[in-house]
Amino acid sequence: MIVQQLKLEEHKVITIEPTASLKELLEVLDRCGYQHIPVVQDGVFYGMAGYSEVYKAFFESTLEKQAFLAGTKVESVTINKTATIHEEGNMEEIFNKIDYVPFLAVLDGESHFNGMLLKSTLFDMLRDALGMHKPGIRLTVSMPEMKGVLGKFSEVVKDYSNIFGMLVLDDNTNFGYRRVSFKVAPETDIEALTEDLKHIGVRVFHVTPVVQSL
């Protein structure tokens, strides 16, 4: 379900057909402002194509510029044909596949193109998780890797403020501690909160002054 929630709907996606010319591709890219767009025809995702592929192909060509652009098809410069994810995909699949591509093509149950998932959307989700759209004070703490400590941490913090956003780091730590970054309300008594967190073994080691919402 997460892919369906994050994807850009098909009718909002700018695409180009594999049989279009590179001249048409450049015109579309210039209009939309993207570096790459999906190559799609009759619901089939062929990959993506963009400026860099056109420039590389022209560099390797012996044709004059205008003849090259008019006579070369998009399908000849299409890349990342497997940069896809099913609309029922999960977060692990998203992050495993999107590292080296600007977006993933979302496919429905019949493997038809059904939209795309932008890498920039994941950054927006991360901003939300960090509470960056609300004013507040950000704290980074060191938390022991012990069962139940996160629950105790939440119980302590709730006496002082709501948590506007939290991110737990160091999933593969070998030191017995994890870092947690979270944001609380601007009026929170940070000194008192810090003291109470010490009692459950959580150490505050960085406090960012009040920041404004983005």
Side-chain angles (χ1 to χ4, degrees), residues 158-199:
K158 79 173 187 179
D159 290 336
Y160 293 90
S161 170
N162 289 327
I163 297 177
F164 295 147
M166 183 171 70
L167 187 66
V168 181
L169 306 171
D170 308 315
D171 184 48
N172 60 347
T173 180
N174 294 316
F175 301 104
Y177 285 86
R178 303 178 80 173
R179 291 172 297 165
V180 176
S181 174
F182 65 103
K183 182 183 281 188
V184 294
E187 64 276 8
T188 302
D189 186 340
I190 299 301
E191 289 188 9
L193 173 58
T194 299
E195 284 300 313
D196 279 0
L197 287 175
K198 284 181 181 178
H199 296 154

Side-chain angles (χ1 to χ4, degrees), residues 68-82:
F68 167 77
L69 293 176
T72 308
K73 303 301 182 184
V74 171
E75 60 189 351
S76 68
V77 299
T78 300
I79 61 170
N80 298 325
K81 298 173 182 172
T82 60

Side-chain angles (χ1 to χ4, degrees), residues 102-201:
F103 63 82
L104 292 174
V106 179
L107 306 182
D108 65 17
E110 298 179 346
S111 296
H112 291 155
F113 180 77
N114 197 29
M116 70 179 185
L117 180 59
L118 297 167
K119 185 174 288 186
S120 59
T121 302
L122 298 182
F123 281 99
D124 288 338
M125 184 178 66
L126 181 59
R127 293 185 185 97
D128 287 340
L130 287 169
M132 292 180 67
H133 299 296
K134 293 183 179 181
I137 303 173
R138 180 169 304 285
L139 296 90
T140 304
V141 302
S142 177
M143 182 179 298
E145 184 73 14
M146 295 172 55
K147 183 177 180 179
V149 70
L150 190 58
K152 293 178 182 178
F153 162 80
S154 300
E155 286 295 316
V156 171
V157 177
K158 79 173 187 179
D159 290 336
Y160 293 90
S161 170
N162 289 327
I163 297 177
F164 295 147
M166 183 171 70
L167 187 66
V168 181
L169 306 171
D170 308 315
D171 184 48
N172 60 347
T173 180
N174 294 316
F175 301 104
Y177 285 86
R178 303 178 80 173
R179 291 172 297 165
V180 176
S181 174
F182 65 103
K183 182 183 281 188
V184 294
E187 64 276 8
T188 302
D189 186 340
I190 299 301
E191 289 188 9
L193 173 58
T194 299
E195 284 300 313
D196 279 0
L197 287 175
K198 284 181 181 178
H199 296 154
I200 61 169

